[in-house]
């Protein structure tokens, strides 16, 4: 009968796992970015039932190579340019390992004082690194907390905004009447999902038109929608502005939007899931102008700040509003520390009760890299993307279809002269991704099929971007040749 793994067995097997991960990172560049598995292939390599008797760890580790690895898409690959970066780093992995080893359940300060207080300080460190408004710091009326993702941050902001808009009645009586949520036509899908979960309904999510050149929200279009809803007896609850939209990384004009939200008394949540990390660099903080108007703000260190998923940093200007909206206190959670009012209980800042010690990986990352190391990573990605965009512009077959203030470039093959630009660009994407060295994704910009190249994987260097461009150019020639 297999027993619990003792300390010495854990030490030996743990070393083997660390060696396996290190070998994986060292060989990433030699692997195809995408899995060649068909649906069901991984499941087919697994037994149909769990083992009756425990197995040796060496056998379990070996099956990683034979069962799991053929079905992995390699997000840390230097040729992974799809979606947005999903960074992980050595310090982050080791911090997560310590968190798992401790097994802390930090729902209350009392159940894990270090879990709570390290998190509070890490969010204050991040607020300083990004130069966020003082009212987001824990030393004032606001503060930060780690959510699992920007989607959860949007949901929490929606619930707090609904609580405010209903003057507290939502918490006890549910949603009465109609409320509306506003975001640009480029806003993230999580906004629609949050409206459904909150009971507002996705039919009350208002897509606000954008500037055709910048693809950023039009403040006057927002004002018109607010006025129309008020006239119809619909109560505006929330505006979600975006710093770095998913399709093109457009930056909404936060100062103008903030003025409108303040005038109408509407909660303003700013979603900077990807691009928020850029604010560690002073020269990129222009994108965060106007944050003093925001009631809440979030970004994902797990996207571009070298911290493994899941880790979304979420701040509120008034934590009392958030806690009032979400707190539920059964007798079995009551304790002297909470009742003293001297501690934060993060269970009141999120949807679930339980929470992991996620701040450890953030602490490890911030200490290992320091502000200088984080800035170097961001600046390197921006520089590589800018160089790629220059190559695209210099090639008459292609066009850059949107501004690229960060490390994402949106481009496509030109149409005309008998060339269907959409079809040709779609075929180009399929050819590039089939090669195995590079992975791109697509979107639609002003209705046109568009390719996205997002730089940010920790191992990506200039030669990888150059290789991607060479591959794209060669495959474009094949597509256009018919």
């Amino acid at each position: 009968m297999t027993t619990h793994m003792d300390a010495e067995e854990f030490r030996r097997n743990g070393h083997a796992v660390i060696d396996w991960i290190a070998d994986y990172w060292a060989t990433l560049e030699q692997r195809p970015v995408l899995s060649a598995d068909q649906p069901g292939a991984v499941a087919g390599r697994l037994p149909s039932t769990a083992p009756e008797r425990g197995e040796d760890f060496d056998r379990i580790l070996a099956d990683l190579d034979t069962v799991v690895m053929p079905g992995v898409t390699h997000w840390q690959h230097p040729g992974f340019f799809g979606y947005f970066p999903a960074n992980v780093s050595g310090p982050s992995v080791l911090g997560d390992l310590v968190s798992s080893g401790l097994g802390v359940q930090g729902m209350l300060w009392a159940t894990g004082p270090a879990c709570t207080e390290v998190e509070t300080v890490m969010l204050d460190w991040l607020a300083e690194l990004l130069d966020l408004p003082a009212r987001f710091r824990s030393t004032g009326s606001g503060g930060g907390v780690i959510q699992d993702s920007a989607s959860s941050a949007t949901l929490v902001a929606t619930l707090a905004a609904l609580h405010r808009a209903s003057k507290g009645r939502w918490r006890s009586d549910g949603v009465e009447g109609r409320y509306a949520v506003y975001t640009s036509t480029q806003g993230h899908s999580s906004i629609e999902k949050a409206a459904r979960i909150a009971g507002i309904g996705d039919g009350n999510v208002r897509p606000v038109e954008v500037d055709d050149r910048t693809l950023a929200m039009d403040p006057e279009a927002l004002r018109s929608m607010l006025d129309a809803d008020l006239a119809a007896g619909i109560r505006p609850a929330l505006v979600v502005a975006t710093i770095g939209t998913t399709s093109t990384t457009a930056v909404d004009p936060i100062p103008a939007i903030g003025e409108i939200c303040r005038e109408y008394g509407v909660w303003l949540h700013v979603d900077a899931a990807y691009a928020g990390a850029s604010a560690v660099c002073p020269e990129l903080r222009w994108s965060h102008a106007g944050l003093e108007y925001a009631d809440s703000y979030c970004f994902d260190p797990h996207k571009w700040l070298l911290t493994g998923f899941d880790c979304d940093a979420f701040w509120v200007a008034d934590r009392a509003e958030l806690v009032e909206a979400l707190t539920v206190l059964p007798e079995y959670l009551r304790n002297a520390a909470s009742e003293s009012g001297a501690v934060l209980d993060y269970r009141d800042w999120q949807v679930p009760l339980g929470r992991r010690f996620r701040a450890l990986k953030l602490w490890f990352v911030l200490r290992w890299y320091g502000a200088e190391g984080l800035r170097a990573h961001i600046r390197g990605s921006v520089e590589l993307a800018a160089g790629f965009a220059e190559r695209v512009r210099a090639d008459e077959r292609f066009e850059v279809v949107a501004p690229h203030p960060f490390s994402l470039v949106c481009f496509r093959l030109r149409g005309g002269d008998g060339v269907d630009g959409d079809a040709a660009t779609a075929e180009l994407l399929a050819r590039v991704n089939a090669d195995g060295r590079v992975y791109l994704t697509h979107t639609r910009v002003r209705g046109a099929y568009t390719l996205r190249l997002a730089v940010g994987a920790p191992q990506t260097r200039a030669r990888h971007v150059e290789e991607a461009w060479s591959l794209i150019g060669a495959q474009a020639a094949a597509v256009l040749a018919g």
Side-chain angles (χ1 to χ4, degrees):
M1 177 179 178
T2 304
T3 60
H4 295 301
M5 188 180 288
D6 64 29
E8 287 308 312
E9 289 173 318
F10 177 78
R11 189 189 315 278
R12 182 178 67 253
N13 295 323
H15 281 240
V17 170
I18 294 295
D19 285 343
W20 187 92
I21 295 171
D23 289 343
Y24 168 67
W25 286 348
T27 59
L28 258 177
E29 192 170 351
Q30 285 75 55
R31 301 171 185 266
V33 185
L34 295 177
S35 167
D37 270 354
Q38 295 300 307
V42 176
R45 291 192 289 268
L46 289 165
S48 58
T49 60
E52 182 66 26
R53 296 180 178 275
E55 302 179 54
D56 290 339
F57 192 81
D58 289 347
R59 183 174 177 183
I60 297 171
L61 194 59
D63 279 352
L64 279 178
D65 293 313
T66 58
V67 176
V68 175
M69 293 307 292
V72 170
T73 294
H74 302 289
W75 282 71
Q76 310 308 313
H77 195 289
F80 187 100
F81 299 110
Y83 303 106
F84 281 130
N87 287 171
V88 74
S89 63
S92 173
V93 171
L94 295 175
D96 244 346
L97 176 62
V98 175
S99 175
S100 295
L102 291 175
V104 169
Q105 216 288 28
M107 56 190 177
L108 301 164
W109 179 92
T111 65
C115 182
T116 296
E117 294 189 15
V118 171
E119 185 162 334
T120 300
V121 174
M122 288 308 99
L123 271 292
D124 282 345
W125 279 14
L126 277 179
E128 181 180 0
L129 284 173
L130 273 60
D131 194 28
L132 300 184
R135 66 195 195 128
F136 286 140
R137 316 294 171 87
S138 68
T139 49
S141 62
V145 64
I146 297 176
Q147 305 282 352
D148 58 5
S149 65
S151 296
S152 290
T154 297
L155 173 59
V156 168
T158 302
L159 297 175
L162 186 56
H163 184 66
R164 178 197 282 180
S166 68
K167 296 181 171 54
R169 291 190 300 275
W170 160 79
R171 198 178 78 169
S172 58
D173 301 336
V175 178
E176 297 179 326
R178 290 183 64 188
Y179 295 87
V181 173
Y182 309 80
T183 191
S184 89
T185 57
Q186 309 299 302
H188 194 267
S189 60
S190 62
I191 301 164
E192 181 179 329
K193 182 178 287 188
R196 291 182 192 174
I197 296 170
I200 293 172
D202 57 26
N204 291 313
V205 176
R206 305 287 187 253
V208 183
E209 289 303 316
V210 298
D211 178 275
D212 188 60
R213 183 183 67 85
T214 65
L215 300 171
M217 186 189 294
D218 180 349
E220 290 310 308
L222 170 64
R223 181 186 294 276
S224 296
M225 284 188 163
L226 289 166
D227 286 339
D229 278 339
L230 286 168
I234 301 169
R235 287 168 282 185
L238 172 72
V239 172
V240 181
T242 309
I243 298 174
T245 57
T246 302
S247 282
T248 66
T249 64
V251 177
D252 289 338
I254 309 298
I257 294 168
E259 288 277 9
I260 293 171
C261 288
R262 181 169 293 179
E263 178 184 342
Y264 286 77
V266 181
W267 186 291
L268 173 59
H269 175 61
V270 176
D271 177 3
Y274 153 72
S278 69
V280 300
C281 301
E283 69 272 19
L284 294 173
R285 288 180 189 155
W286 59 267
S287 63
H288 283 56
L291 269 189
E292 64 273 12
Y293 291 103
D295 294 286
S296 56
Y297 164 87
C298 77
F299 91 100
D300 291 339
H302 67 233
K303 279 194 169 69
W304 199 12
L305 210 64
L306 299 162
T307 306
F309 189 86
D310 54 359
C311 185
D312 169 83
F314 173 70
W315 287 269
V316 287
D318 183 354
R319 60 179 177 264
E321 285 189 296
L322 179 62
V323 170
E324 184 179 319
L326 297 183
T327 188
V328 178
L329 186 58
E331 184 62 32
Y332 52 78
L333 293 180
R334 293 186 181 275
N335 63 90
S338 296
E339 292 176 5
S340 74
V343 301
L344 296 178
D345 287 331
Y346 279 134
R347 68 180 181 87
D348 295 329
W349 296 48
Q350 60 179 23
V351 172
L353 172 62
R355 53 199 338 272
R356 298 188 298 113
F357 201 162
R358 284 179 291 217
L360 275 178
K361 61 186 172 187
L362 190 57
W363 188 37
F364 278 34
V365 167
L366 294 179
R367 294 185 65 188
W368 173 268
Y369 287 98
E372 289 183 350
L374 298 175
R375 290 178 190 130
H377 175 63
I378 298 297
R379 287 168 176 155
S381 300
V382 172
E383 182 179 352
L384 291 176
F388 179 83
E390 289 177 8
R391 291 174 179 268
V392 175
R393 287 195 184 91
D395 191 320
E396 63 183 9
R397 298 172 298 176
F398 292 92
E399 60 179 331
V400 175
V401 300
H404 50 91
F406 306 112
S407 68
L408 172 72
V409 181
C410 294
F411 66 103
R412 70 191 304 269
L413 286 168
R414 296 182 185 274
D417 295 329
V419 175
D420 182 333
D422 280 5
T425 303
E427 183 180 349
L428 173 60
L429 177 65
R431 286 173 173 265
V432 167
N433 287 346
D435 178 85
R437 290 174 290 167
V438 169
Y439 180 50
L440 308 180
T441 51
H442 83 282
T443 186
R444 285 191 179 271
V445 179
R446 304 179 193 90
Y449 194 98
T450 299
L451 304 187
R452 302 168 72 262
L453 182 138
V455 182
Q459 293 193 31
T460 301
R461 303 291 182 268
R463 62 185 176 85
H464 300 113
V465 178
E466 291 166 4
E467 183 180 57
W469 174 244
S470 295
L471 174 62
I472 290 166
Q475 294 297 341
V479 169
L480 295 174

